Structure formats: C-alpha cells, structure tokens
Amino acid sequence: MEDTRSVASLMDSTSSKIQQLQKAFAELESQRAVTLNLKWKELEEHFHGLERSLKRRFHELEDQEKEYETKTRKAQELLEKKKAAVEAKEKAALERLQKKRDAAMFTINSALDKYNNAPVSKPSVGERWPQNAVEDSSNVFAADSITDDNPDGIVQDVQISPVMGNYEVKAYPQLLKLCGDMDSTGLHKFVSDNRKNLASLKEEIPMAFRAAANPASLVLDSLEGFYPMEAPTADGKKDANLLGMRRTCIMLMECLSILLSGLDRNSLAVVLSQNVKHRAKTIAEGWNPLLESLDMDACNGNSLEAHAFLQLLATFAIVADFKEDELLKLIPMVSRRRQAAELCRSLGLAEKMPGVIEVLVNSGKQIDAVNLAFAFELTEQFSPVSLLKSYLTEARRSSPQGRPGNASPAVQDEFNERELIGLKTVIKCIEEHSLEEQYPVEPLHKRILQLEKAKADKKRATEPMKPQPKRPRGAQPRVTDNNNNINNNKTGYGRVIPERYPQYVYDNRPFLSGPIMAAQPPPPPPPQTYTFNPAPAHGNFYANCYQYQAPPPPPYFH
C-alpha cells in the first residue's frame, strides 16, 4: 500500500514538474545562447502522453489488485464453511459412536450379570415356562423351576424384561389361552379376525408366547400351509386368504424374534434347542427350491415368500447353514419392505450392503437404494440426491417430451402416469430423509400440478355429453291463470300445457323491466279464456261450441 501511495503522489506532481520545465525552457530560449530544434509544444505533448499512459496502467493494476483480494476473501470463506461442515460431521459421528459404545457396554454388562447371578434350570419336555419367580436383575423369562404354588406353570403375572418394557397382556387375554394350548390354527384365526388392531397385537403376542410350553415349536407349527400342498407354487397375490396367512406367519416369526432378543444366553439355548433348529432347517430347505422361480422384477421388492424365508433363517439362527450368495440374491426381492434393513442386520449381511445397493441402482430401484444407504450410513458412497435424480430421469425417459415422433394418446397417458407416480415417490423419499435443502421439492410439486391438470382436462374432454331435453317446436300459447280459472269454475275449458315442457324462455326477459321499456305503452292483456255452460234446452251455437245470440224473428204480418 505504501508503494501505491508513493506512485500516486509522484503522478500528481507531474503537472508541477512540467510547469517548472516550461519556465526553464522559456528562460533558455530568451538567452538564445543555443539554438534548439525542438519546440515546446512537442515536448509538452510528449510528457502529457507519458502521464496518460502511466495513469492508465496504474488504474489497471489497481483493478487487478481488487479482483485478487475478492477472490482470496471468497476462497477463505469457502474454506471456513467446509471446515465447519467437516467438524460438525466429525462431532455427529463421535456422538453416534459413543451411543453405540454405551449401548454395547450396557448389553455386555447386563449379560455378564445375568450369567453370573441368574442360573437357569432347563425345563423338561412338556413343562411350561414358570412365571412366578422373577428376579429384578435377571430376565423375566429365566426363572426357577416350577414351585408348589404354581405346579402347572400357568401364567399368573405375565411381564417382560426391562429391555422390552413393563407391560402385561391386557387387551387380548385370549392370546394367553391360545398360546398355552399350543393352538397354532386358533392363533392364526385370532390374528386374522383382529387384523385391524395389528399394532397392539404385535405388542402383546411376544408376551403371550411365554404362556406356551414351547413358543418356538408353536411358531413352526403356524408355518404349516405357507405353501399349500395342492398348489405349492400358487400366486399369493391372487388369493386373499393365502396372502393374509403368509403375512400372519411373518408377523409371528417377528414376534418370536422380539421375545428372543430379551433372553439371556442360557434361556435362548433352551428355547432354540437343537431339535427346534433342525426342524426350522428342514422347513427352510423345503422352501428354498420354490424361491428359484421368483422373478426379481415381478416381485418389485415386496416378495412375501423371500421375506418369510429370510425371517425364518434370522429368527431361528440357522443362517450359517445356507450360502451367503443365495441370501444376497434375495435381498432385492424384499428391498421395499420396511423390515429390510433390520433383516439384513439379523442375517449378518451389513458388510455386503454396498454390493446390494449397487444391484438395486443398476436394476432401477434407486428409491430402495436410498433407503438402505441411509439405514447403513452409506450416503457418502451413494449420494441420495444423485440417485433420486437418476430415478426421475429414467421415469421421464419414455415421456413424450423427451422422445421424437408422435405417440398414441394411450401411450402418452401411460408415460404421464408413470412420471406422476415417480414424482410423488421422490417427494415422499425427500420428506422422509429431510433432503429438502439439498433437493428442493417446489419444482416437483409444480410438475405434479401440471400433469394432474392435463389429466383432468383430457378426462373432461373425453366424457360423453349429457343429453339435453328436447323443446317443442314452434311457439306454444300459454295460459297464465289456467289453474285459477279451473278452481273458480269447475266447467272451465282452458288450454293446459303439460308440465314436461320447460317455461318459455322469453317470458322473463330482464330488459323488459328497464327504463327504456318503462316509457313504452303496456303490452296488450293476454287472451281471455272463455267458459260456457250449455243450457239444458237447445240453443244457437257456432261450430266451435261458442254460443251466440240470434236476432229476433221478424214480426209476422197478417
């Protein structure tokens, strides 16, 4: 800055220097001691030209300096923002890691305490799980052997462990009897009859399982009929009863998993005995060949058959008996189901999720890929915004806007409907994962309104026109006081217009009551109706039945 100021001061003093030179030149010329070939005007123009070029160059250097300072300031601000974002991500990651560490330490300490302080005696075959001897520190499912106060193991106070919450079976006490009787058929029917209250059922079934002598065997019994013997490859989507039964089977296995998650190691070994695991493995081996006929595109990520198979392996801990590659092929078939992420964790496939997400992206299931990327914290490897934009691009690829030529109206409707569904799906995904700042939804809403308006206009244009009522041709005379005449004179013969004809449109013209028409003479009165009452004697009548007065006969002249 000091150099700039000094240069500016020197340039300002140029004019004074030129004046001094002019005086010296004039003095020299007055003496005429030496003959000079140069004229003063030429020297003055030369020096002024040098001054202008110096100033122009100086201003250019000042502009370049300001531009450089602006770019430097913007770069520093950008670096500070990125630094703050990185620090925020590091802090959030450390908090998540600390929470997971605390949860893991709590689980380990609880398991050690239960293992050291709460030994469990294995019940014999046919005995029920005792419920009367529950220790506060140990899991309520683990208790002492059957006591004299409760010799049959009947449920007296069904509760769950602190991990599962303090809750009793109150809403549906029938569940206790069904589970106590090991009635899988009745349990299926009860769930089907109360499917409207599925959320409360899913909360109480895990506790009701504790009334069963062998809850794992009860769930395995409920799987009978998942594939009908007469038609094992039947399509469950076309059979409502089979579809409901399969959903109930999946829910019962999930409820058993909830119960098993609250058990300690000894109690878990008792429930999932080797016989139970062998039976579950047999069922899974029978289902596995039937899954080969499933088509991933046809399943659309919502296959109940694949979900039930994977849930069977996860619930009964028999994943190691099957190949991992075969299980990975089934994950895209259940990617749309809400239990997909938790199911993958239960199967031990968390480390393989990048490959699964890659398969989903390549098969056009970007929405499922985004959901799994958030569930397994892989959003840096798979950008959600890029995946959603790619999904919309594929939805619009077959749109009439992006392809040449004229498509038929039916094809255009199909393309517009596909794009409309894609837009709504993307907006829902953005709202679920709070991506509004990264991907604004206002343009998507505008496009939805545009498509819906075009759809409504086309539907309105193709609707058949409603038939209009026919009007009688020609002017129809009208009797205004016809009813009054008939009431006053029972024998009146006025012309009656049927009610099916609409009122004559010119009877109520609004301009007849305006100021212009008020000055006109009133219209003539309506034609008067005539009635007659024929006399009992003969009289004089016209051909139209109107009576007339005949002139008196001429006098008779004698």
Side-chain angles (χ1 to χ4, degrees):
M1 295 299 294
E2 295 295 335
D3 296 337
T4 306
R5 292 176 183 174
S6 61
V7 172
S9 61
L10 289 174
M11 292 179 65
D12 293 336
S13 63
T14 304
S15 300
S16 61
K17 297 292 184 181
I18 292 174
Q19 291 178 0
Q20 293 177 5
L21 183 60
Q22 182 180 4
K23 291 180 181 180
F25 188 83
E27 200 174 313
L28 182 62
E29 190 177 14
S30 63
Q31 294 179 2
R32 294 188 181 274
V34 180
T35 303
L36 299 176
N37 295 327
L38 296 176
K39 299 294 182 180
W40 168 247
K41 293 218 180 219
E42 295 177 358
L43 288 174
E44 188 177 12
E45 290 178 0
H46 175 69
F47 284 112
H48 279 302
L50 292 176
E51 183 183 6
R52 286 193 298 270
S53 63
L54 286 174
K55 286 184 178 181
R56 183 175 65 254
R57 183 59 179 167
F58 178 73
H59 290 317
E60 289 178 358
L61 292 175
E62 279 187 339
D63 295 339
Q64 291 178 1
E65 184 180 3
K66 291 180 180 179
E67 184 179 358
Y68 174 75
E69 291 177 355
T70 303
K71 289 183 179 180
T72 304
R73 186 175 62 256
K74 289 182 178 180
Q76 290 178 353
E77 292 177 356
L78 183 61
L79 287 175
E80 290 177 359
K81 289 181 180 179
K82 289 185 177 180
K83 182 179 178 181
V86 170
E87 291 178 354
K89 288 183 179 180
E90 289 179 353
K91 185 177 179 180
L94 289 175
E95 290 178 356
R96 290 195 301 267
L97 183 62
Q98 185 64 30
K99 288 181 181 179
K100 292 181 179 180
R101 179 181 176 278
D102 295 341
M105 292 299 297
F106 177 77
T107 304
I108 293 172
N109 293 332
S110 301
L112 290 175
D113 292 341
K114 293 173 184 178
Y115 179 75
N116 295 328
N117 301 328
V120 180
S121 59
K122 183 176 180 180
S124 60
V125 179
E127 290 182 344
R128 302 177 188 273
W129 288 98
Q131 306 293 333
N132 59 326
V134 180
E135 298 182 4
D136 296 336
S137 60
S138 63
N139 191 286
V140 296
F141 200 89
D144 296 336
S145 59
I146 298 175
T147 61
D148 296 335
D149 296 335
N150 189 14
D152 296 330
I154 300 175
V155 177
Q156 296 177 350
D157 187 15
V158 179
Q159 296 179 348
I160 58 177
S161 66
V163 177
M164 299 164 63
N166 187 12
Y167 192 83
E168 297 180 358
V169 179
K170 295 180 180 179
Y172 301 100
Q174 303 94 323
L175 289 173
L176 296 176
K177 185 177 185 306
L178 292 173
C179 295
D181 296 340
M182 298 288 288
D183 186 1
S184 60
T185 305
L187 186 60
H188 261 286
K189 186 177 184 303
F190 183 82
V191 173
S192 178
D193 294 341
N194 297 274
R195 186 163 290 278
K196 292 183 179 179
N197 302 321
L198 199 59
S200 59
L201 274 177
K202 199 168 183 179
E203 291 179 357
E204 295 197 351
I205 288 177
M207 283 77 74
F209 276 159
R210 300 177 44 159
N214 194 337
S217 296
L218 176 61
V219 173
L220 291 176
D221 292 340
S222 68
L223 301 180
E224 184 179 357
F226 189 90
Y227 286 99
M229 297 297 296
E230 61 277 4
T233 59
D235 189 1
K237 296 180 181 179
K238 299 179 180 179
D239 190 347
N241 295 329
L242 181 59
L243 182 64
M245 193 271 290
R246 288 178 173 177
R247 288 177 176 172
T248 302
C249 291
I250 294 174
M251 190 194 71
L252 293 178
M253 287 190 287
E254 292 175 351
C255 291
L256 181 61
S257 297
I258 295 174
L259 177 65
L260 297 178
S261 64
L263 302 182
D264 58 14
R265 184 174 59 181
N266 294 336
S267 300
L268 187 62
V270 172
V271 177
L272 296 181
S273 61
Q274 293 298 325
N275 293 332
V276 170
K277 288 186 176 182
H278 179 71
R279 184 180 172 191
K281 181 181 177 182
T282 303
I283 295 175
E285 289 176 349
W287 288 1
N288 194 17
L290 299 175
L291 298 175
E292 296 178 357
S293 60
L294 293 179
D295 185 8
M296 185 175 68
D297 296 334
C299 293
N300 198 19
N302 195 21
S303 172
L304 292 179
E305 296 88 342
H307 186 185
F309 178 78
L310 296 175
Q311 189 67 52
L312 178 64
L313 303 187
T315 301
F316 292 92
I318 54 175
V319 184
D321 297 330
F322 294 86
K323 296 181 180 180
E324 189 179 71
D325 295 340
E326 295 179 357
L327 303 183
L328 291 174
K329 293 179 181 179
L330 297 177
I331 298 299
M333 298 183 184
V334 297
S335 57
R336 288 190 61 188
R337 302 191 66 80
R338 58 180 178 81
Q339 307 94 331
E342 189 62 30
L343 194 59
C344 292
R345 292 191 183 95
S346 302
L347 295 170
L349 302 177
E351 297 180 356
K352 303 292 184 180
M353 291 315 296
V356 175
I357 295 176
E358 192 71 31
V359 172
L360 292 174
V361 172
N362 295 333
S363 59
K365 298 180 179 179
Q366 290 88 348
I367 302 298
D368 300 340
V370 171
N371 295 331
L372 290 180
F374 272 99
F376 291 93
E377 300 180 359
L378 297 173
T379 53
E380 294 183 359
Q381 184 176 354
F382 300 94
S383 174
V385 176
S386 300
L387 292 178
L388 294 177
K389 290 182 177 179
S390 174
Y391 177 79
L392 274 184
T393 301
E394 291 187 5
R396 294 168 177 169
R397 182 172 297 171
S398 300
S399 175
Q401 296 180 352
R403 58 179 300 176
N406 297 325
S408 63
V411 176
Q412 290 181 358
D413 293 342
E414 182 182 354
F415 292 159
N416 292 339
E417 188 68 22
R418 188 183 307 169
E419 183 180 357
L420 187 62
I421 294 173
L423 288 169
K424 293 180 179 179
T425 305
V426 169
I427 291 176
K428 182 180 179 182
C429 185
I430 291 173
E431 293 175 350
E432 286 179 354
H433 300 294
S434 303
L435 296 172
E436 289 84 353
E437 294 183 358
Q438 305 177 30
Y439 197 169
V441 297
E442 287 80 7
L444 304 182
H445 283 298
K446 291 181 180 179
R447 179 59 180 164
I448 287 177
L449 293 177
Q450 182 182 358
L451 292 174
E452 289 180 345
K453 183 178 181 300
K455 181 179 178 181
D457 294 343
K458 190 168 186 178
K459 182 179 179 181
R460 194 181 302 112
T462 55
E463 285 182 352
M465 298 297 294
K466 295 182 179 179
Q468 298 293 334
K470 295 182 179 180
R471 292 181 181 177
R473 296 182 179 178
Q476 299 293 330
R478 191 173 184 84
V479 181
T480 56
D481 295 334
N482 183 53
N483 294 333
N484 295 332
N485 293 336
I486 294 176
N487 293 333
N488 295 333
N489 189 353
K490 299 301 180 182
T491 60
Y493 287 87
R495 187 176 185 277
V496 180
I497 299 178
E499 293 180 358
R500 68 176 180 272
Y501 294 129
Q503 186 179 2
Y504 195 56
V505 295
Y506 296 104
D507 286 352
N508 297 323
R509 287 176 289 181
F511 56 81
L512 291 178
S513 60
I516 299 177
M517 299 302 297
Q520 302 294 332
Q528 185 177 2
T529 58
Y530 297 93
T531 59
F532 68 93
N533 191 8
H538 294 286
N540 300 316
F541 295 92
Y542 289 109
N544 57 1
C545 298
Y546 285 99
Q547 190 177 9
Y548 69 94
Q549 185 69 28
Y556 182 73
F557 296 98
H558 297 284

